[in-house]
Amino acid sequence: MSVHDGHRKRMRQRFLAEGLDQFTDVQILEILLFYCIARQDTNPIAHELLNHFGSLSQVLEAPVEELCKVDGIGENTAVFLKLITQVGRCYLTDRASKSRILPTLDSCAKYLQTFFFGRNVETVYLLCLDAKCKMLCCKKISEGDVNSTTLSVRKIVETALSTNASSVVLAHNHPGGLAVPSNVDVQTTLRIADALQAVDVHFIDHILVTDDDYVSLAQSGYTFPASNG
């Protein structure tokens, strides 16, 4: 057994006994790299990743091609690191989907937040509900760059109609920003609400999501037209 094998064993035993709460960011990256880089001291590579990107979250959100620029990081390791947040998002959305009745704005918002975990580009989701507030689907409508996404009102209406939704909640994220609606957000929301009213689908709310916060336009005082049904 090499000195690295002994260190890895001690790190794994510590993790199994304590979890990651007392690990530093370097140690978390170091133990992750154990499973990609065999028989090599991964501590210097973990330090280099943090020096290059600035934080653990930025390492895990970095593009594969940028990760590969760090000494010691090959494509397989970069893909593995990229998987972490994506698997985390799948885990959160799967757990949240076990409760499929979403009767309040708060329950809808908390469910929608899980879809934006680890996303660093602006993305739009539409949550479709039946008359009893049972979730029918939560579908990605569009995805753009860090600051903007092209939003198709027609696609939103078609998605609502295709699921036979009675009501919908729209959500999008402001990556790295504040959960504050812009004038464009408000005007686009009103156009969507009007279009849905015309096909008897109730527009409940537009949720703006950041990493650890969300804002409801409805709870902020904006009103939307009621459906005709």
Side-chain angles (χ1 to χ4, degrees):
M1 180 181 291
S2 72
V3 63
H4 298 311
D5 289 335
H7 174 65
R8 290 181 179 213
K9 182 177 181 180
R10 288 190 295 273
M11 289 280 280
R12 283 193 293 267
Q13 288 174 335
R14 180 185 166 195
F15 163 68
L16 291 172
E18 304 174 7
L20 287 177
D21 289 347
Q22 301 305 314
F23 277 59
T24 65
D25 289 351
V26 167
Q27 290 170 330
I28 291 171
L29 283 173
E30 184 182 359
I31 198 169
L32 283 173
L33 293 172
F34 288 171
Y35 299 95
C36 311
I37 302 172
R39 298 186 178 281
Q40 183 179 342
D41 184 1
T42 59
N43 183 274
I45 302 173
H47 275 285
E48 186 63 28
L49 283 166
L50 287 173
N51 290 337
H52 186 88
F53 293 104
S55 69
L56 176 63
S57 62
Q58 288 174 304
V59 170
L60 298 179
E61 293 170 3
V64 167
E65 58 271 19
E66 290 298 316
L67 289 166
C68 289
K69 293 178 182 179
V70 175
D71 287 343
I73 300 296
E75 184 177 11
N76 285 342
T77 302
V79 170
F80 175 79
L81 292 174
K82 192 68 179 173
L83 277 168
I84 303 300
T85 54
Q86 306 240 1
V87 170
R89 183 165 62 245
C90 291
Y91 165 75
L92 290 173
T93 54
D94 181 69
R95 280 194 66 187
S97 69
K98 303 305 181 187
S99 175
R100 294 184 179 272
I101 304 298
L102 302 170
T104 65
L105 284 178
D106 189 55
S107 63
C108 289
K110 288 181 177 178
Y111 174 69
L112 283 160
Q113 276 186 296
T114 65
F115 286 83
F116 298 100
F117 176 78
R119 292 195 183 276
N120 52 14
V121 296
E122 194 162 303
T123 309
V124 179
Y125 275 88
L126 186 71
L127 174 64
C128 296
L129 305 169
D130 70 9
K132 296 182 179 179
C133 297
K134 180 179 179 181
M135 185 187 71
L136 299 171
C137 77
C138 191
K139 185 173 181 178
K140 183 164 71 174
I141 299 297
S142 63
E143 186 175 78
D145 59 26
V146 173
N147 298 312
S148 64
T149 183
T150 302
L151 190 57
S152 169
V153 175
R154 178 177 177 176
K155 187 172 182 180
I156 289 171
V157 172
E158 288 177 345
T159 300
L161 291 176
S162 69
T163 60
N164 198 29
S166 293
S167 59
V168 300
V169 179
L170 188 71
H172 85 276
N173 58 331
H174 284 180
L178 300 174
V180 177
S182 66
N183 288 333
V184 173
D185 290 333
V186 174
Q187 294 306 313
T188 301
T189 301
L190 293 173
R191 287 195 297 114
I192 292 166
D194 285 339
L196 288 165
Q197 179 194 29
V199 293
D200 293 335
V201 177
H202 177 46
F203 184 84
I204 297 175
D205 202 358
H206 185 170
I207 305 293
L208 276 64
V209 178
T210 59
D211 291 342
D212 56 3
D213 193 17
Y214 72 85
V215 164
S216 153
L217 267 67
Q219 291 177 341
S220 299
Y222 296 95
T223 58
F224 313 114
S227 63
N228 297 319

